[in-house]
Amino acid sequence: FFFTHQKLLVRLNLPLDSRTRLLTMAPNSNPIELDIATMAKGAAATAANIRDEPTPAFADVTGDGSNLAGCRRRRRGGASNLAGDDTATSPKASPTSPTSPVRKRPGPPPSGRRYSGIPVPSWFRPSSAETFRRMEMRDSDVVLSSFVKAGTTWVHTILRSLLHTFDDDGNEIPAACGGGGVGSAGQAYPDALPLDADERRRCLADPSDVFRFTRNFFGDFTFEELLGQPEPRLISTHLFGRDLLPMQLLGLDDDGNDAPDRPGKGRLVVVLRNLKDVLVSLHYFRGEAKDGWLGNEHGSGSFARFLDDDCPNAFGSPFDWIRGTDEAVRMLEAEMEKYASGKSRVMVVYYEALKENLGGQLERMHDFLGLGPLSDAKRAAVERAMSFDVMKQSRTNGSKAKDKKNQGSKSKGGGGKKRANSVSSMEEKKKDDAAIVVGDVPRGVSGLPVEHMITSSSTRPCRRGSSNSLPFQLLPSSGSSGNGCRRGSSIPKCIIEANGSKSSFAEVNNVDSDCDDDDKLSPSSSSSSLAVDVKSQEGNEEEKEKKQDIIMRKGQIRDWTNHLTPHHWEKFDAVFERKLGDVCLAQPLRRYQRATVPGLPSQPRDEWTLDTDPRTWPTFERVTLQDGMIVPDNLIKRASSSAAASKGFVRPPSEISGTIPSAEHPAEPGRYHLFTSAICPWACSVACAVFLLGLQEIVKVHVSDGQSGEGWVYLKGVSAPPFASGSEGLSDLPFWLHEVYRLHDCAVTTRVTVPVLWDSETQKIVSNDSWDIVKMLSTGFAGMGVPPKEISNVLGRDEAGNPTLLPSGLAEQIEAVHADLYHRLLNGVYRAGLGLMRNGDVMNDAVLSARRDVLDTLDELNELFATSRFLLGGALTAADIRLAMTLLRYDAAYRCAFRMGKCDR
């Protein structure tokens, strides 16, 4: 309690002996029933005798994106206006009833203030926001714009590390690591800073000005100092869209209109996170929402507020934020096309992509910032710096630097010196290795008691999302000290039951992008170990036996699945679809806002029988990859007749095409893995070539069980490195082919297609072009396979006498025959069938032309095969393999599904 609530005690200006009495009541008796609300009431009464500084309301705790100090009341009541707003004041906190103690630390409520129609936090300064919008941009400037709880601090720290902290050898740059500069210990929002030194002095002299508290969070800086950063300047903000971001950044003139002949300056980095996890993170921000999930006497609830069209939370509706940001992104993309610059000035970063592949995203950012290729040493240094322990220590050092800068001015801040002295006294009197035995337990969403042990050696205990307003007693420590919530540390587990359904929380190893919010508290936060042993209530022995690792709310992906009910999330999905269904930036969020993957095959393919009917499997929406993120694929989406298009189906070319053998990809047995499917004719032609050439021991083939809402899936996993893991040498179950594409290039834009030829040594895709792979198997692995005897007799030979599908002297003929077949028949059936679907079942000219090509080619092949066994005489070639895969499917699939009967000619 000493450490987790010292901020409250210090701000209430309690004398040391009063604080000690509160923390050490009845030291030799059982834990007393004293809740936080009752303690605060008594503390406030004691603090009321101190007349030289206002007392903040207990329930109003400062925070990023919320109300700072809520309504700061003067000693005799009444709420003062906040700096920079001459009309809006924050609502008063509801009094806490001693008869119904609050067992959860309440988070900060909305401030009630607005700027340009957008709700803003209490630390927001309109004059600074307007100056930011009209600032003189430089070409090297980097503006980071993110929604609240989307990973602002994590991405800010990454960008600063790439720009200023580490050199290409991975060494720290002394000038950047000295501490104390703008942004060195976290972002300093431009709209939170006084404009210059004169305004800063006025703020510190005004007891009602919120800057006297915000400087402990964002640094004791001015907007003028923010602009004085060394280049490239990095500015992070929650402001968004063309009406709030710098006009010169977006290429606007001084009146906010499009400047037709003047491109913008600087770079824009946008950070997004799936909105369901954002909602959960906001709900537990600095405690738990005072009005709960679904509302109470304090308000409508965090769920309703989040979905409200006029969301009162800081920076407004997240749906409107994304839509406004999407407009700004499209403006910068259009500018790149207009001026043919070839280099984009905007990059969108998704929090989930950072979590899943930090190294790959670092390369992407480094290139976007114009810093050239990212060296291995610099990447490793930045990845280490992003670990939980290092970020904690960095912020502790940053807080000390801020505190050092603040020391000269605290005495002018109306009680600041007194507070600093009280902090010092607390530090001198506190006990090392103190332990708190709590007589109650935190509860899950439905009130299920939870037993856990927390140990921490960081500046504050990692309690994101905990809501501990508990009876307590200060007791001597047993001497234990833990590792804290570190990367890779083991955290006890529990079962949390939400609305009747149990959810198991997994151990979290990754750093929390927003854990800085709890670390940006008073610079005097203790670094001593703290052990909290929460005892289960009587009668819960059965639940105690079921304990598992308890989550420490560290920004894990899909935390939302542990809260509320499916009914609530269905309502959320409906709002998302209504507001963001057509917004490009929002499409990658869909994947992380689904509880399950739709359309999974009902059986793995090795369990199929003649009665297996894939048409009865769940339906799904096809997906593709855009900048490494999974988004809906509209290539073959059926159109309504009213929206029929005049053009037919056009298949995009394969994006990845390498060569075997080559310096990067030598022909070696066991090195390559081939991902295929029994459904796809293109993939089947490649798998067929492997077996005909006897390469099964040279190239490992993995056959998919079908498609799903995340693309091709392998229900029983794959054995391809580096995806294979565990004692059985298989990947996680199920395995998704998009993982191969995303490891190849974390920002790849491509359809997730089969076949894929994978190099397990370079961890790169060699090719996803089926025709190239078929030829590569004959040339690149020539002489390495042993074809079946019954096949060897019909295969041609290469110049070295090896069996091949590309016989010597026929290569040009094979290419010409295949090109004609591909256009008229192999892809022709898709031009006819999918073109019909895309055209709303309307037979336009493109569809009719494709149908004629298909049917005419079949007639020609009938005549050819009446006298010849193969396309080019007596030898089986690669072109025959390709043709066979289409003919095998024609009557079973294309004729019915694509209406390709002769009568339809």
Side-chain angles (χ1 to χ4, degrees):
F1 188 91
F2 229 106
F3 311 130
T4 57
H5 296 288
Q6 64 174 314
K7 177 182 173 184
L8 164 68
L9 299 175
V10 171
R11 288 194 174 178
L12 290 176
N13 281 317
L14 285 177
L16 178 62
D17 57 341
S18 298
R19 294 201 304 272
T20 305
R21 286 199 301 275
L22 284 170
L23 293 173
T24 57
M25 286 181 180
N28 298 318
S29 62
N30 293 328
I32 61 174
E33 288 294 326
L34 178 63
D35 60 84
I36 300 301
T38 304
M39 186 217 72
K41 184 176 180 181
T46 303
N49 295 323
I50 303 175
R51 300 178 179 275
D52 60 350
E53 183 178 6
T55 302
F58 162 71
D60 298 321
V61 183
T62 189
D64 175 11
S66 278
N67 180 26
L68 175 67
C71 116
R72 296 190 61 242
R73 300 177 213 172
R74 296 193 180 279
R75 193 59 56 198
R76 293 181 176 82
S80 62
N81 287 347
L82 293 165
D85 188 357
D86 56 359
T87 57
T89 58
S90 301
K92 292 185 178 181
S94 301
T96 305
S97 170
T99 59
S100 57
V102 178
R103 296 286 181 184
K104 298 177 180 180
R105 188 182 88 172
S111 71
R113 303 177 64 214
R114 288 181 180 264
Y115 174 77
S116 296
I118 306 297
V120 293
S122 59
W123 45 256
F124 185 88
R125 312 182 81 84
S127 58
S128 298
E130 183 62 23
T131 304
F132 172 62
R133 174 164 164 72
R134 297 183 177 278
M135 69 176 285
E136 187 74 25
M137 293 289 297
R138 301 172 186 169
D139 289 332
S140 62
D141 287 344
V142 179
V143 175
L144 167 63
S145 176
S146 70
F147 191 69
V148 179
K149 309 309 296 177
T152 312
T153 301
W154 193 22
V155 179
H156 172 94
T157 307
I158 290 173
L159 292 174
R160 183 175 174 82
S161 296
L162 294 174
L163 290 169
H164 298 296
T165 306
F166 297 100
D167 59 24
D168 289 339
D169 295 326
N171 301 318
E172 292 186 348
I173 302 173
C177 301
V182 178
S184 61
Q187 67 275 18
Y189 297 127
D191 42 306
L193 305 177
L195 291 175
D196 52 30
D198 291 339
E199 184 176 347
R200 175 183 172 279
R201 283 191 291 270
R202 290 194 298 271
C203 293
L204 295 177
D206 182 359
S208 67
D209 197 296
V210 76
F211 177 69
R212 298 172 65 241
F213 292 102
T214 60
R215 61 186 182 145
N216 288 332
F217 294 79
F218 308 135
D220 193 3
F221 305 112
T222 65
F223 189 88
E224 190 175 62
E225 290 175 301
L226 184 68
L227 297 183
Q229 297 179 74
E231 293 191 34
R233 299 183 299 186
L234 174 60
I235 302 175
S236 297
T237 181
H238 293 312
L239 298 174
F240 65 100
R242 65 177 294 154
D243 294 331
L244 297 175
L245 289 174
M247 291 186 287
Q248 291 187 13
L249 173 68
L250 302 179
L252 304 177
D253 61 24
D254 294 339
D255 296 324
N257 301 316
D258 294 332
D261 300 319
R262 187 180 66 187
K265 297 181 179 180
R267 294 178 174 90
L268 173 64
V269 177
V270 173
V271 183
L272 294 175
R273 182 185 183 189
N274 89 78
L275 294 183
K276 290 183 178 179
D277 280 344
V278 169
L279 167 58
V280 173
S281 190
L282 279 172
H283 178 82
Y284 288 106
F285 179 61
R286 297 213 176 275
E288 188 165 355
K290 194 172 183 179
D291 52 355
W293 280 108
L294 303 177
N296 53 33
E297 68 275 15
H298 299 295
S300 60
S302 56
F303 183 78
R305 280 189 280 110
F306 196 85
L307 298 185
D308 196 326
D309 287 342
D310 189 21
C311 176
N313 296 342
F315 300 101
S317 166
F319 305 98
D320 293 342
W321 194 98
I322 291 178
R323 183 171 286 277
T325 300
D326 184 77
E327 179 188 14
V329 169
R330 284 188 283 109
M331 288 173 60
L332 294 180
E333 290 176 343
E335 176 196 277
M336 181 182 68
E337 295 180 3
K338 177 180 178 180
Y339 292 99
S341 61
K343 192 69 175 177
S344 177
R345 293 197 300 113
V346 60
M347 178 178 67
V348 180
V349 176
Y350 290 89
Y351 174 91
E352 291 80 7
L354 280 169
K355 282 278 194 174
E356 294 168 347
N357 186 359
L358 177 58
Q361 292 296 320
L362 290 179
E363 291 184 11
R364 181 176 172 235
M365 293 183 186
H366 202 264
D367 178 69
F368 171 77
L369 296 172
L371 303 176
L374 177 63
S375 67
D376 292 339
K378 186 173 183 179
R379 181 197 299 110
V382 175
E383 286 182 333
R384 284 194 301 270
M386 293 306 104
S387 69
F388 185 71
D389 283 341
V390 175
M391 290 187 72
K392 280 278 200 179
Q393 184 61 39
S394 175
R395 292 190 190 100
T396 302
N397 295 339
S399 293
K400 292 177 180 178
K402 292 178 189 176
D403 197 25
K404 184 175 181 180
K405 179 173 181 178
N406 293 346
Q407 284 178 357
S409 57
K410 279 189 175 181
S411 60
K412 303 177 184 179
K417 184 176 181 179
K418 180 177 294 186
R419 186 198 311 166
N421 291 338
S422 68
V423 171
S424 177
S425 299
M426 174 184 288
E427 294 293 336
E428 293 173 1
K429 297 291 184 180
K430 72 184 181 184
K431 296 182 179 181
D432 292 333
D433 297 324
I436 302 170
V437 177
V438 186
D440 202 347
V441 293
R443 295 174 178 268
V445 177
S446 63
L448 178 68
V450 176
E451 180 191 27
H452 68 277
M453 168 71 76
I454 305 174
T455 58
S456 178
S457 60
S458 54
T459 56
R460 286 179 57 84
C462 259
R463 337 174 263 101
R464 176 167 303 279
S466 67
S467 48
N468 301 347
S469 297
L470 305 169
F472 63 90
Q473 180 183 8
L474 188 69
L475 297 176
S477 170
S478 60
S480 62
S481 61
N483 295 327
C485 303
R486 300 185 178 183
R487 187 182 187 93
S489 65
S490 179
I491 303 173
K493 289 184 177 179
C494 70
I495 294 289
I496 291 191
E497 184 175 358
N499 303 289
S501 62
K502 293 185 179 181
S503 301
S504 177
F505 287 85
E507 181 179 337
V508 178
N509 290 325
N510 291 331
V511 64
D512 175 19
S513 68
D514 288 323
C515 67
D516 61 284
D517 298 332
D518 279 342
D519 300 326
K520 286 186 177 179
L521 298 178
S522 170
S524 62
S525 295
S526 167
S527 60
S528 296
S529 296
L530 175 68
V532 181
D533 187 8
V534 183
K535 301 297 184 182
S536 266
Q537 292 179 333
E538 295 180 3
N540 289 310
E541 293 300 324
E542 182 179 350
E543 296 297 343
K544 285 177 61 178
E545 295 175 359
K546 298 179 181 179
K547 66 181 180 178
Q548 295 183 12
D549 277 0
I550 185 171
I551 200 76
M552 300 308 294
R553 200 162 304 286
K554 291 163 54 60
Q556 74 281 12
I557 299 172
R558 289 195 179 94
D559 182 24
W560 64 269
T561 58
N562 300 310
H563 307 278
L564 298 174
T565 67
H567 171 73
H568 293 109
W569 295 123
E570 288 173 5
K571 185 176 181 180
F572 186 105
D573 292 337
V575 175
F576 181 92
E577 197 63 37
R578 172 170 61 87
K579 294 186 174 183
L580 296 177
D582 60 342
V583 176
C584 292
L585 285 188
Q587 302 313 307
L589 304 180
R590 294 176 182 273
R591 179 193 178 203
Y592 303 100
Q593 293 177 178
R594 296 188 308 228
T596 59
V597 177
L600 276 178
S602 300
Q603 293 175 295
R605 61 182 302 274
D606 58 5
E607 297 177 9
W608 292 0
T609 67
L610 291 177
D611 296 325
T612 301
D613 187 357
R615 293 174 298 179
T616 63
W617 294 351
T619 59
F620 59 92
E621 183 178 18
R622 292 178 180 268
V623 295
T624 187
L625 285 172
Q626 182 176 331
D627 293 330
M629 302 301 291
I630 294 177
V631 298
D633 183 4
N634 297 320
L635 180 66
I636 59 174
K637 190 172 184 179
R638 182 182 293 276
S640 63
S641 57
S642 60
S646 59
K647 63 181 181 179
F649 169 75
V650 178
R651 183 181 299 277
S654 300
E655 291 85 359
I656 307 170
S657 184
T659 302
I660 297 176
S662 64
E664 185 178 10
H665 307 296
E668 296 176 358
R671 173 169 176 159
Y672 297 95
H673 291 254
L674 186 63
F675 296 93
T676 68
S677 166
I679 300 173
C680 171
W682 318 111
C684 275
S685 67
V686 174
C688 184
V690 170
F691 286 92
L692 292 177
L693 294 171
L695 295 172
Q696 299 94 314
E697 301 299 322
I698 307 300
V699 178
K700 174 68 174 177
V701 178
H702 306 273
V703 183
S704 171
D705 297 297
Q707 289 219 59
S708 70
E710 286 203 11
W712 295 102
V713 59
Y714 299 77
L715 295 177
K716 293 187 175 181
V718 296
S719 60
F723 310 106
S725 61
S727 58
E728 298 182 0
L730 293 175
S731 62
D732 293 336
L733 307 181
F735 177 78
W736 314 97
L737 184 60
H738 66 72
E739 296 180 39
V740 177
Y741 281 89
R742 297 170 80 197
L743 183 57
H744 169 81
D745 179 359
C746 70
V748 66
T749 295
T750 178
R751 299 183 67 223
V752 184
T753 60
V754 286
V756 170
L757 185 58
W758 173 254
D759 186 341
S760 62
E761 293 292 327
T762 62
Q763 297 186 9
K764 293 289 184 180
I765 294 176
V766 180
S767 178
N768 69 340
D769 186 287
S770 58
W771 179 234
D772 283 351
I773 297 175
V774 168
K775 293 184 292 182
M776 232 183 291
L777 292 171
S778 285
T779 58
F781 297 95
M784 299 177 69
V786 182
K789 291 182 179 180
E790 62 272 21
I791 298 298
S792 181
N793 294 332
V794 297
L795 289 175
R797 295 294 187 269
D798 61 17
E799 293 180 353
N802 299 310
T804 182
L805 291 171
L806 297 173
S808 177
L810 293 179
E812 292 184 2
Q813 288 180 264
I814 292 173
E815 285 286 0
V817 169
H818 176 265
D820 181 66
L821 282 174
Y822 176 85
H823 174 73
R824 300 176 63 201
L825 178 61
L826 311 186
N827 191 50
V829 292
Y830 293 99
R831 290 193 294 117
L834 297 182
L836 189 65
M837 291 173 57
R838 284 172 54 86
N839 223 40
D841 292 330
V842 175
M843 291 279 191
N844 62 8
D845 291 343
V847 172
L848 291 172
S849 175
R851 295 169 65 80
R852 285 192 294 269
D853 283 343
V854 171
L855 298 175
D856 290 346
T857 303
L858 289 175
D859 290 341
E860 294 171 10
L861 290 173
N862 272 333
E863 295 180 9
L864 173 64
F865 290 134
T867 58
S868 176
R869 184 177 182 186
F870 301 111
L871 286 170
L872 294 173
L876 176 67
T877 67
D880 292 292
I881 304 302
R882 301 278 281 181
L883 173 61
M885 298 303 108
T886 295
L887 296 180
L888 288 171
R889 287 163 173 77
Y890 191 86
D891 285 340
Y894 303 138
R895 187 175 185 278
C896 299
F898 292 163
R899 291 165 49 185
M900 291 299 301
K902 268 199 172 186
C903 60
D904 298 319
R905 187 190 294 260

